[in-house]
């Protein structure tokens, strides 16, 4: 996995690292008044960069890494997290969250929803969600599909279109995974008097690709202003292992491998970086099309998709609503 870096997204990695580390030190020392940082490490590029930045900010002795696998996690995720923790010299605690997820009904609730669509679905089957549209040549909205594979590696994966009710129930059940992980992050943060690091990059943060009360919950979010290609630039500068930098970004949420593009973004990450940057810069579709290698009509459709995602995920960013302003806590 490599992402080409266009000129408008190039940064000075050393300068960016220094600025983020300084901001983190000020945020946890002066604003939050905490003594260290907790980072959930998934073996992905974003959490790895955040862990390395945390060490730059407060030192390895005051950073706790958490690996929070469950029975459907990719085993490579834990191995890569352990490799990075060893390189950074930080403590990494491993807590398997499968029992908590089973007790909450995560797997059972999801499987019950799947069986209403695929009655034969059962033990040993694997699944993931897909969101498909007509791409940049169509204005068709996303259609939700379930990809399923019977037991046995030689079995074919097939797709089934999901009704809205079953789609929502599957998503709601799998969101237990992000929320249970966050619960443990805050347990360790509370016992150590540390702050919790959130790991979304700008694409995820701005377009709402996170779970409210799950991976969207954090005390600091040090890379939320960085486009994905900029995160890769920092990763190289910070010496993040090649195995992490070349890994295809994945949600690591379902038993079948699922890329972020399959489920949410609809565009390759490099193209989405440029498209979102162009949209944020207020560039006209005809102007942006020259850099993107697309037609103005395709850029217009990409802009509309960005706007739809922003509008649909306003709730993700919303703070609790109060009847009246409470001055002492604002």
């Amino acid at each position: 996995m490599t992402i080409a870096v266009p000129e408008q997204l190039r940064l000075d990695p050393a300068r960016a690292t220094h600025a983020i580390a300084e901001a983190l030190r000020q945020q946890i020392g002066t604003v939050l008044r905490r003594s260290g940082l907790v980072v959930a490490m998934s073996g992905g590029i974003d959490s790895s960069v955040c862990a390395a930045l945390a060490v730059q900010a407060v030192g390895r002795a005051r950073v706790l890494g958490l690996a929070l696998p469950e029975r459907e996690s990719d085993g490579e995720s834990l191995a890569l997290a352990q490799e990075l923790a060893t390189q950074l010299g930080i403590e990494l605690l491993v807590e398997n969250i499968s029992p908590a997820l089973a007790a909450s009904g995560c797997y059972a609730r999801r499987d019950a929803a799947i069986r209403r669509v695929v009655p034969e679905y059962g033990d040993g089957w694997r699944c993931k969600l897909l969101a498909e549209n007509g791409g940049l040549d169509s204005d068709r909205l996303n259609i939700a599909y379930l990809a399923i594979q019977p037991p046995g590696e030689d079995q074919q994966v097939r797709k089934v279109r999901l009704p809205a009710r079953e789609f929502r129930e599957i998503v709601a059940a799998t969101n237990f995974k992000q929320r249970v992980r966050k619960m443990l992050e805050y347990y360790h943060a509370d016992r150590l008097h540390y702050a919790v690091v959130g790991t979304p990059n700008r694409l995820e943060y701005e377009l709402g690709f996170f779970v409210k009360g799950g991976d969207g919950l954090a005390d600091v979010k040090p890379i939320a202003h960085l486009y994905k290609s900029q995160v890769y630039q920092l990763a190289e500068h910070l010496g993040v292992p090649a195995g992490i930098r070349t890994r295809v970004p994945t949600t690591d949420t379902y038993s079948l491998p699922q890329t972020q593009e399959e489920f949410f973004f609809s565009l390759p990450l490099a193209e989405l970086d440029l498209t979102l940057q162009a949209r944020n810069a207020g560039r006209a579709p005809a102007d942006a099309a020259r850099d993107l290698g697309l037609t103005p009509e395709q850029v217009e459709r990409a802009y509309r998709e960005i706007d739809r995602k922003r509008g649909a995920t306003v709730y993700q960013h919303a703070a609790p609503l109060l009847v009246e302003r409470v001055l002492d806590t604002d």
Side-chain angles (χ1 to χ4, degrees):
M1 175 66 190
T2 58
I3 291 185
V5 182
E7 187 60 36
Q8 57 266 50
L9 292 176
R10 290 191 183 278
L11 50 72
D12 181 334
R15 184 174 180 178
T17 295
H18 177 76
I20 294 171
E22 284 290 317
L24 278 174
R25 276 193 291 273
Q26 191 273 336
Q27 288 166 344
I28 70 165
T30 304
V31 181
L32 300 174
R33 298 186 180 182
R34 296 278 160 161
S35 55
L37 294 164
V38 171
V39 187
M41 298 171 63
S42 67
I45 192 75
D46 297 319
S47 65
S48 298
V49 166
C50 285
L53 289 169
V55 170
Q56 292 283 323
V58 298
R60 64 187 63 181
R62 292 198 289 154
V63 176
L64 174 67
L66 290 179
L68 302 165
E70 45 96 15
R71 70 190 195 194
E72 294 178 335
S73 298
D74 185 343
E76 185 184 24
S77 299
L78 177 57
L80 290 171
Q82 290 171 324
E83 179 185 358
L84 178 62
T86 299
Q87 178 178 306
L88 294 175
I90 64 173
E91 180 182 7
L92 180 72
L93 296 182
V94 181
E95 295 207 29
N96 191 305
I97 64 172
S98 299
L101 293 175
S104 70
C106 168
Y107 306 115
R109 296 172 201 263
R110 179 201 63 194
D111 293 353
I114 292 175
R115 278 193 291 271
R116 291 203 299 272
V117 182
V118 185
E120 65 269 31
Y121 185 89
D123 292 344
W125 288 61
R126 300 201 298 164
C127 71
K128 66 179 175 181
L129 292 183
L130 303 172
E132 297 184 359
N133 57 32
L136 295 181
D137 294 318
S138 169
D139 282 317
R140 194 182 79 187
L141 298 178
N142 284 343
I143 297 174
Y145 289 92
L146 175 72
I148 52 171
Q149 182 183 43
E153 291 296 330
D154 59 335
Q155 296 295 312
Q156 292 295 312
V157 175
R158 61 187 175 99
K159 294 192 308 181
V160 180
R161 186 165 176 173
L162 278 174
R165 176 190 172 190
E166 282 68 32
F167 172 77
R168 288 195 300 266
E169 288 188 19
I170 292 168
V171 171
T174 54
N175 284 350
F176 274 116
K177 297 185 180 186
Q178 285 80 11
R179 289 177 173 135
V180 168
R181 288 187 175 110
K182 193 59 61 172
M183 178 176 66
L184 283 166
E185 290 174 51
Y186 271 98
Y187 162 74
H188 289 288
D190 288 348
R191 74 177 179 84
L192 295 169
H193 199 63
Y194 281 9
V196 170
V197 176
T199 64
N201 60 65
R202 183 162 186 162
L203 303 185
E204 296 168 340
Y205 184 75
E206 188 171 337
L207 300 183
F209 186 44
F210 55 84
V211 175
K212 191 167 188 176
D215 52 338
L217 181 63
D219 299 313
V220 292
K221 296 183 178 181
I223 62 169
H225 62 297
L226 297 179
Y227 292 93
K228 191 75 172 185
S229 57
Q230 294 175 328
V231 176
Y232 276 94
Q233 292 174 67
L234 282 193
E236 185 173 0
H237 172 73
L238 292 164
V240 171
I244 295 173
R245 289 187 283 113
T246 58
R247 188 186 191 197
V248 175
T250 174
T251 63
D252 206 11
T253 299
Y254 293 90
S255 48
L256 281 174
Q258 180 198 56
T259 68
Q260 296 175 334
E261 294 166 29
E262 287 180 309
F263 180 60
F264 188 80
F265 286 132
S266 303
L267 276 174
L269 294 177
E271 290 182 21
L272 184 55
D273 252 11
L274 270 175
T275 307
L276 183 59
Q277 191 274 338
R279 185 61 167 151
N280 289 337
R283 296 179 67 189
D287 178 36
R290 290 191 293 271
D291 289 340
L292 292 167
L294 302 171
T295 67
E297 293 75 20
Q298 289 174 320
V299 176
E300 287 178 4
R301 291 191 182 97
Y303 280 5
R304 285 197 292 272
E305 178 68 11
I306 288 170
D307 293 342
R308 278 196 291 263
K309 281 184 166 56
R310 284 172 172 164
T313 58
V314 167
Y315 166 78
Q316 298 287 86
H317 291 278
L321 301 178
L322 306 178
V323 173
E324 294 183 8
R325 186 177 180 213
V326 182
L327 292 177
D328 288 344
T329 59
D330 271 347

